[in-house]
Each structure stands twice: as C-alpha cells, then as structure tokens.
Amino acid sequence: MRPLDSTTVPRTARPVTVLQFGGGNFLRGFVDWMIQVANTAGVTDTGVAVVHATATPDAALDLLREQNGLFHVLLEGVRAGEPVREITRVDCVQEVVAAHGEFDRYRELYLSPDLRVVVSNTTEAGIVWVPGDDLAATPPASFPAKVTALLHDRYRHFDGDPDRGLAFLACELIEDNGSTLRELVLRHAAAAGLDEGFRTWVHESCSFADTLVDRIVPGYPRDDIDAVQAEIGFADRLVVKGEYFHVWAIGADPRVRELLPLDRAGLDVRFMPDIRAFREQKVRVLNGTHTALSAVGLLLGHTSVREAFADPDVRRYVDRLVADEVLPTIPGDRADLDSFAAGILERFTNPYLHHRLADIALNAVAKWRTRNLPVRVDRTRAGATAPLTAFSLAAVLVVQSGAAAVPGFTPADDAATLDALRGGPDPRDTAGAAAWVRTAVERLDLAHGLDAEATDDLVRDVTPHVVGLLADPRLALHAVLTELPPV
C-alpha cells in the first residue's frame, strides 16, 4: 500500500489564509473538508496551517505532519431517503506547526499578510480565563491569552492597520463561543495594561463570530480501515469518518462571508447576524428530540437511535412530538421549519452510524430542563397542551431513577439529581408517583418558567405516564399515542 504524502500525491500550493487551532477529527472532517470542497469548486483558494496549541504531544498531529497535511474524509448517510457515501481527499492543509516548539515559524504564520481567518476547536475547556497568564511568553499557556498575544503582535507589526485584523470562527461547543473569546481577549489586554488603541483595533478591525457546528464525526474507522485503505489506494492513517449531514451557522458581519464564502460551493454554511434563534431551533428539534427518543427507546429495549427510530411506535411518537409541540414554539415560516425538521429526522435513519441511546442519556435530566422544558413553557403560555413533552419527562425520570431495569444501562447523572430520584415515595402507584414526580420537579427545577398552577398541571400530566411506563412501556406509549388528535 502506498504511503499518503507529497511524494505520492500531487498537490496544489495555496496561500495560507486560515490558521487553525486544532487538527482533531472534527475540524478535519468538518472545516477542512468544507474548505477542500470550496477549493475544488473554484470558489476559494484557501490554504490552512494547523497549529498544535498545547505543549502536550499529539500523535494525530504528528501523523498529519508526516502525511504532509493529506488525509481522506469518508462521509456516509442518507440524502432524500437514499444511502449516500463519499470519499474526499483533503489537501488544503499546507503546514502543521507547534506553537510551543516552533514558535518562530508559528509567529511567521500569524504575522503573514495573507492570513485572514482563525478557526479553533480547543474543546469546551479551551475558552477559559487563566489568571496571570504571561502574554510575553512564547507562547502564553491558554488559548485566549495566545489569541491576545498574537493579535497584539500583529497590531504592532502592521502599525494598527485596520485591514490587517482577523476573523475568528470559534467551533468550541459552548454558547456564545466567539463572543466569549473576544471578552477574554479584551480582559487579558486590560489586565496586561495594553494600550487603548489595541483594544479599539480588536473591537473595530477583528471579528469574533459565534458559531454552531453540526456533524457527527466518529473519527478513524478502525473496524473497516483495511477496506477503506484498499478503496482509496493509500495507507492513510488519518482517515476521518463522519455523517453526510452538515450545518455550520456563523453569526458575523457580512465581511466574514467574503473572506470564506463556503456557502457559494453549495455547502450548508449559513451566515447570519445572530445565531441565537437558529441555535434555539436546532436545540429544540435535534437535541430535545434526542433526549426524548433516548429515554423512550431505552425503556422499549432499543440501544441505538436508528434502531429506536425504526420502531413504528417510536417513529410516530417522535414525528408527532416535533410536528405538534416543538415546531409550533419556533418562530418562522412553517414550511421552512418542516423542511429543517425533516432533514434532522432523516439523520436518525443513517445506517452507517451507531449512535448509542445510553450516550445520549448521560445527564438526561439537565438536558431535558434546557432542551424540552422550554417547549412545555411556550405551549403553556400559548394556552396549548404538550402531552408528548410530558411523556418525555416521565420517561427521563423513570430511566434516570433506575426504577425500571434497562439491560446494559446504568443511569449517569450528578449526585444531587440521582439522590432526588431515588428513595421517597414508591412511584409504582398513582399516589406515590404524584409525590415522587413533585419532589423531582421541585428539587431539580423542572418547572422553571411555569407558575404554580402550570407546575401542578405538569405534575398531573407526568404522573400517570410514570405509572404506565413502570408497568408496561409499550402499552404506556400506545396510550399516549391513542389520545392524540388525528393529523
């Protein structure tokens, strides 16, 4: 098998306009793949330099360097109801540099006049405040301090030229990722006593986009790598497997789209002034449905999203939950929302991904509070009912409490949550269940946003579902589906 590197594959030299902090599976299978698609389409001529941002060794980045930035992305999924499979060779990564071991070269890259965009995925723990981080270090330790130092260096190098600012696209999985990064940069600047002109330049010449990324990227296809390598004809040790579906929502001013116009290559990249409404839409339709599906599916003996969604009862439950209760709470054109939801639910049928319900059920009570409870609150305020959302809470409480035995599954949540769900009244009869549900609702803040009367209604609605699920989950699901009005 031929090695994959620049001696075996001809590649196009491109100007490095994107500095990428992180070279893990997600960024390579999402951002780098997008840039490759746009380059191939002739929409962009973008080269990427991947920065190893920590002092800790990273075997994957060492491999990426050995392969001269080359790797393949394998995408599998469903499109318009049909299975789809694509393999793309990515060659947009021009260089891999270690900020802590190759600082001079790293500095040359971030001071390059070609540089326009910085992409990051430093994990949820990356965008954090580290007091006392030395901006004069080469480089500073934390990511926000690194960004502050490189921007200040660039500001001085170009004498504050407003055209030499950078656009930051943060992909870390936290809300307001770009805005938070900007706040920390300015905080570091203030703490270090950097001049006001620099802080003004950061505000006016640099942009920090809040983004939302969506693609499941399992990573290296270890189980079938021999077949994949035989298909591509190279001993690629960095193949990235991901789902075909993708969305990248970028909340930024229009200038960012001109710097990286990925949407013009047919990619689902959505530039908008503010992503909060879109994030709420995605959380309610995808994440909230996942939370409900995982609890119901586990109680029915299923282990994966695809297996549960193939169950006709579960499929009907999810379809009606989204159509009748979730979508009516989201502002916007209903036809557009239906199309969005259809694309999300089509992902549940992906035959190539084994998305474990047990993984989704981790910390499910807190997830229900943030993802599903707002639907109940909005429906209540609109004078409407939400029986399927109430059923999802009953399922979550039953699963996480351990009151129903689920083979192969052990409830995982914080100690306070588990303590609130265990002990106390017996939830197997109506009287005990009502007291048990009320205890959980009150102690776990599961009625936030509801007044006392609406809280009583929630407890009343959830209680019989708890009793029914503990007696026979299938019959309980049939019962709630039978009570639904006809479509």
Side-chain angles (χ1 to χ4, degrees):
M1 189 76 67
R2 291 177 295 168
L4 180 65
D5 55 41
S6 57
T7 68
T8 58
V9 174
R11 59 182 304 162
T12 303
R14 302 184 187 276
V16 174
T17 60
V18 173
L19 194 66
Q20 178 175 299
F21 283 87
N25 289 321
F26 181 79
L27 283 183
R28 288 189 294 113
F30 188 77
V31 175
D32 295 337
W33 169 81
M34 287 188 181
I35 292 173
Q36 184 67 38
V37 170
N39 283 345
T40 301
V43 172
T44 56
D45 183 24
T46 299
V48 178
V50 173
V51 179
H52 180 194
T54 70
T56 306
D58 188 317
L61 286 179
D62 290 341
L63 280 178
L64 188 61
R65 191 195 298 265
E66 290 178 23
Q67 294 188 178
N68 302 120
L70 297 163
F71 59 94
H72 291 82
V73 175
L74 166 62
L75 302 178
E76 297 176 316
V78 179
R79 178 176 56 189
E82 297 295 328
V84 59
R85 185 174 187 276
E86 293 181 0
I87 297 180
T88 301
R89 183 186 302 151
V90 175
D91 68 7
C92 63
V93 176
Q94 306 291 298
E95 186 173 351
V96 179
V97 63
H100 287 264
E102 300 168 309
F103 182 79
D104 289 344
R105 178 55 184 156
Y106 163 64
R107 183 170 184 263
E108 289 177 6
L109 287 166
Y110 74 65
L111 291 180
S112 168
D114 290 330
L115 189 64
R116 293 289 183 268
V117 176
V118 177
V119 175
S120 67
N121 186 16
T122 56
T123 78
E124 294 89 330
I127 301 182
V128 293
W129 172 254
V130 176
D133 206 339
D134 183 7
L135 297 186
T138 54
S142 69
F143 176 57
K146 282 184 176 71
V147 171
T148 309
L150 79 81
L151 283 177
H152 190 245
D153 200 2
R154 190 173 172 93
Y155 167 76
R156 294 187 301 176
H157 182 77
F158 290 110
D159 296 322
D161 186 343
D163 293 331
R164 297 302 180 184
L166 300 175
F168 289 82
L169 304 181
C171 298
E172 286 80 2
L173 298 179
I174 61 172
E175 288 190 14
D176 306 323
N177 39 28
S179 301
T180 303
L181 178 59
R182 178 180 57 211
E183 291 171 6
L184 294 178
V185 166
L186 293 171
R187 185 176 175 186
H188 274 295
L194 302 183
D195 64 274
E196 185 64 31
F198 167 65
R199 282 178 270 175
T200 299
W201 183 79
V202 169
H203 268 299
E204 297 180 355
S205 301
C206 299
S207 61
F208 293 79
D210 292 326
T211 82
L212 183 150
V213 296
D214 193 2
R215 165 175 274 171
I216 298 171
V217 182
Y220 190 68
R222 191 173 308 278
D223 293 342
D224 54 353
I225 187 60
D226 290 342
V228 173
Q229 290 182 342
E231 181 179 356
I232 62 181
F234 293 96
D236 184 356
R237 295 171 291 172
L238 287 173
V239 176
V240 181
K241 180 178 179 179
E243 68 170 332
Y244 182 79
F245 178 92
H246 68 278
V247 171
W248 193 3
I250 299 174
D253 64 65
R255 293 176 296 176
V256 175
R257 182 173 184 256
E258 299 308 311
L259 296 174
L260 202 62
L262 300 174
D263 56 323
R264 294 172 184 163
L267 296 163
D268 196 356
V269 179
R270 309 182 186 196
F271 294 93
M272 53 191 71
D274 191 317
I275 69 164
R276 283 175 291 185
F278 182 81
R279 180 174 62 213
E280 183 71 10
Q281 175 178 312
K282 180 258 184 185
V283 166
R284 292 194 184 197
V285 175
L286 173 62
N287 303 105
T289 301
H290 262 160
T291 298
L293 173 67
S294 65
V296 174
L298 285 169
L299 288 171
L300 294 177
H302 301 303
T303 60
S304 72
V305 168
R306 181 166 61 92
E307 178 187 320
F309 204 52
D311 182 322
D313 293 332
V314 177
R315 176 64 186 262
R316 186 180 172 212
Y317 170 75
V318 169
D319 285 345
R320 293 298 299 269
L321 172 67
V322 171
D324 296 357
E325 299 183 14
V326 176
L327 294 186
T329 69
I330 302 173
D333 180 78
R334 182 56 190 254
D336 291 342
L337 292 172
D338 286 338
S339 177
F340 176 81
I344 292 293
L345 298 183
E346 186 175 56
R347 301 168 70 185
F348 294 2
T349 66
N350 190 339
Y352 304 104
L353 292 178
H354 185 73
H355 201 174
R356 298 177 66 246
L357 298 178
D359 293 338
I360 299 172
L362 178 66
N363 298 322
V365 174
K367 289 176 179 176
W368 190 92
R369 185 189 308 117
T370 59
R371 300 170 174 181
N372 304 77
L373 174 58
V375 171
R376 176 78 184 200
V377 171
D378 286 351
R379 293 286 286 171
T380 298
R381 290 174 178 172
T385 60
L388 300 180
T389 300
F391 188 82
S392 72
L393 177 57
V396 166
L397 295 179
V398 168
V399 167
Q400 294 302 105
S401 69
V406 179
F409 173 76
T410 301
D413 219 313
D414 64 87
T417 297
L418 295 178
D419 180 63
L421 296 176
R422 294 172 181 175
D426 185 352
R428 296 179 185 279
D429 63 81
T430 301
W436 183 75
V437 170
R438 182 169 294 280
T439 298
V441 166
E442 293 176 351
R443 290 183 60 181
L444 300 177
D445 196 24
L446 297 176
H448 186 81
L450 298 175
D451 60 22
E453 182 181 356
T455 299
D456 291 342
D457 290 342
L458 178 65
V459 172
R460 185 196 65 229
D461 291 349
V462 171
T463 296
H465 296 319
V466 166
V467 176
L469 286 167
L470 287 171
D472 188 320
R474 180 72 64 178
L475 287 179
L477 181 57
H478 281 167
V480 74
L481 292 175
T482 301
E483 295 172 359
L484 295 176
V487 177

